[in-house]
């Protein structure tokens, strides 16, 4: 039975990953400092003998033995959270990354880094293939996250070249689904919560900017496939190419929930990317992976989750 560390395992993606790995007969050590993670995301796993929770901040070194794989997901992901303490965000993606790579080296374990489409910044190439180097502001309010994740990729490849550590890099595009934090500030959770609560729906800018949203189950399948393939060390895009404007997303959500909410337009945040769509040719070729859940199938399940929270 493999022993697998999931950092950020109490978060949105991490908790779904823990579920999948436990169901696949692995021992899982969930490492989380609960900055944005929630105990209730992993409550159902606490009695499972194959699941262990370690409350730990990855900015501090971690000593563990007998580890086969490490999924490094620890990092706040929503702009509201990663900008709350930007210096800590950079430390998590740099010092924390070094700590997790050292842990991988000592254990001869394979490490998968949860990277992001944000490394493409405000992209001038559309859709974005892995070869594109990106268009990132190094000194703006999003930089703590974007540049942190870029350095994390650099560290992964340097540990691979210099020390032979086996690494995998997933460039994750916008993902949504149950267990997103209701106050997380990302667009899908914001629009659903606002509509349920009859609050104004906050579109930033004119809503013409685009994103491509992947349902969480598809993303987790992609992460596990990427970790366990032996063809490539380099980054692979994981996301759903179904692209739409933020205005259209608001229309889709409000059409599914009875509400008195109306739309309000607010200022567009600094450096907000104008368009984003993954080129998933590599994932399809190398992992034989592609998302199977359309937005029309994934949104109702996400709405059901937020409704059940009785906010
Ligand atoms: P999340 O905020 O729900 O989860 C992040 C988890 O990491 C939380 O449980 C948090 O408590 C933990 N954490 C943060 N800093 C930590 C630290 N220093 N030490 C230990 N734990 C720490 O976010 P998520 O959406 O689940 O994202 C998970 C990962 O995937 C992140 O690395 C994120 O950058 C990446 N990602 C997510 C998306 C997306 O759309 N969800 C897109 C691209 C990349
Ligand atoms: N957005 C919005 N209203 C909100 C939250 C976000 O219009 O209440 C916009 C945001 O400006 C961005 C898009 O939705 O253009 C996606 O934002 P999110 O924070 O979810 O992800 P990211 O910008 O990191 O892709």
């Amino acid at each position: 039975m493999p022993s697998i560390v999931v950092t950020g395992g109490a978060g949105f993606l991490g908790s779904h990953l823990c579920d999948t790995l436990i169901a696949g007969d692995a021992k899982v050590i969930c490492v989380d400092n609960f900055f944005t993670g929630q105990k209730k995301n992993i409550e159902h796993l606490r009695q499972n003998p194959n699941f262990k929770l370690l409350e730990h901040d990855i900015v501090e070194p971690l000593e563990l033995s007998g580890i086969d794989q490490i999924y490094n997901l620890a990092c706040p992901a929503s702009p509201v959270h990663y900008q709350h303490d930007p210096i800590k965000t950079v430390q998590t993606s740099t010092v924390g990354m070094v700590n997790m790579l050292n842990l991988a080296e000592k254990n001869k374990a394979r490490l998968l880094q949860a990277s992001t489409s944000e490394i493409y910044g405000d992209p001038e190439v559309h859709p974005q293939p892995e070869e594109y180097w990106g268009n990132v502001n190094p000194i703006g309010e999003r930089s703590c996250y974007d540049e942190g994740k870029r350095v994390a990729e650099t560290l992964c490849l340097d540990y691979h070249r210099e020390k032979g550590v086996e690494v995998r890099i997933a460039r994750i595009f916008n993902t949504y689904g149950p267990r997103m934090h209701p106050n997380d500030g990302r667009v899908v959770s914001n629009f659903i919560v606002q509509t349920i609560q009859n609050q104004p729906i906050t579109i930033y800018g004119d809503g013409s900017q685009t994103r491509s949203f992947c349902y969480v189950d598809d993303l987790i399948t992609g992460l596990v496939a990427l970790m366990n393939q032996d063809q490539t060390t380099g980054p692979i895009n994981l996301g759903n190419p179904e692209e739409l404007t933020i205005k259209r997303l608001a229309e889709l959500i409000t059409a599914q929930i009875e509400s008195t909410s109306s739309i309000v337009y607010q200022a567009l945040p600094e450096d907000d990317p104008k368009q984003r769509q993954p080129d998933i040719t590599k994932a399809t070729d190398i992992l034989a992976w592609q998302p199977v859940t359309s937005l029309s199938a994934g949104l109702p399940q996400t709405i059901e989750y937020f409704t059940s929270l009785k906010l």
Side-chain angles (χ1 to χ4, degrees):
M1 192 181 258
S3 275
I4 306 180
V5 168
V6 179
T7 77
F12 162 48
L13 297 182
S15 62
H16 285 281
L17 179 60
C18 289
D19 285 349
T20 298
L21 297 173
I22 290 275
D25 272 342
K27 282 196 170 143
V28 171
I29 303 166
C30 166
V31 175
D32 206 296
N33 70 349
F34 291 97
F35 173 51
T36 53
Q38 302 181 85
K39 290 242 157 78
K40 71 180 168 79
N41 286 346
I42 48 167
E43 203 49 58
H44 59 287
L45 294 173
R46 294 297 288 280
Q47 301 308 320
N48 190 314
N50 292 329
F51 181 81
K52 192 173 157 195
L53 172 64
L54 215 62
E55 204 160 333
H56 176 84
D57 190 319
I58 65 159
V59 172
E60 304 301 327
L62 181 61
E63 304 272 344
L64 291 170
S65 57
I67 304 300
D68 299 294
Q69 294 185 337
I70 302 167
Y71 287 86
N72 187 37
L73 273 64
C75 184
S78 118
V80 174
H81 289 139
Y82 69 64
Q83 288 166 6
H84 171 74
D85 187 350
I87 297 167
K88 179 64 191 257
T89 301
V90 175
Q91 286 175 327
T92 299
S93 287
T94 54
V95 180
M97 184 80 251
V98 167
N99 287 333
M100 293 308 104
L101 284 162
N102 283 339
L103 183 68
E105 187 189 5
K106 280 189 192 136
N107 281 272
K108 295 192 178 13
R110 182 178 287 186
L111 180 145
L112 180 145
Q113 165 62 0
S115 188
T116 168
S117 53
E118 301 285 344
I119 70 110
Y120 300 121
D122 189 7
E124 289 159 328
V125 171
H126 193 73
Q128 294 80 52
E130 290 82 351
E131 292 74 25
Y132 178 48
W133 288 358
N135 176 36
V136 175
N137 176 358
I139 55 167
E141 286 176 2
R142 293 175 84 98
S143 313
C144 59
Y145 184 73
D146 302 7
E147 296 290 18
K149 289 283 187 180
R150 286 168 70 96
V151 173
E153 287 199 11
T154 309
L155 284 164
C156 285
L157 268 296
D158 284 336
Y159 265 75
H160 175 65
R161 284 185 290 252
E162 297 292 312
K163 297 165 184 276
V165 174
E166 279 197 60
V167 293
R168 303 288 181 263
I169 296 173
R171 288 191 181 150
I172 303 169
F173 283 64
N174 299 64
T175 302
Y176 70 98
R179 299 191 198 153
M180 290 184 92
H181 199 293
N183 301 325
D184 173 286
R186 280 181 277 190
V187 68
V188 174
S189 46
N190 267 12
F191 285 1
I192 294 177
V193 171
Q194 289 162 346
T195 311
I196 289 174
Q197 296 185 328
N198 298 307
Q199 299 291 325
I201 296 157
T202 54
I203 292 186
Y204 303 158
D206 63 4
S208 64
Q209 70 271 34
T210 69
R211 293 293 186 273
S212 308
F213 295 96
C214 184
Y215 189 64
V216 60
D217 291 359
D218 285 334
L219 198 277
I220 300 301
T221 309
L223 285 181
V224 174
L226 175 55
M227 173 65 109
N228 293 300
Q229 59 77 36
D230 290 320
Q231 277 188 62
T232 188
T233 293
I236 303 268
N237 289 339
L238 293 178
N240 188 328
E242 192 183 347
E243 181 186 9
L244 79 170
T245 65
I246 293 305
K247 188 154 191 266
R248 179 77 190 125
L249 177 72
E251 288 164 4
L252 287 178
I253 289 173
T254 51
Q256 293 185 42
I257 304 169
E258 211 180 292
S259 172
T260 57
S261 293
S262 56
I263 288 176
V264 294
Y265 291 89
Q266 296 186 349
L268 192 67
E270 185 187 74
D271 297 329
D272 200 277
K274 284 183 275 304
Q275 54 181 0
R276 183 180 292 153
Q277 184 188 35
D279 178 336
I280 58 164
T281 311
K282 273 212 170 100
T284 311
D285 289 352
I286 295 174
L287 313 177
W289 173 87
Q290 57 182 22
V292 295
T293 314
S294 66
L295 207 49
S296 58
L299 274 182
Q301 299 184 55
T302 312
I303 291 169
E304 199 179 302
Y305 170 75
F306 282 110
T307 307
S308 76
L309 296 181
K310 310 226 177 301
L311 298 164

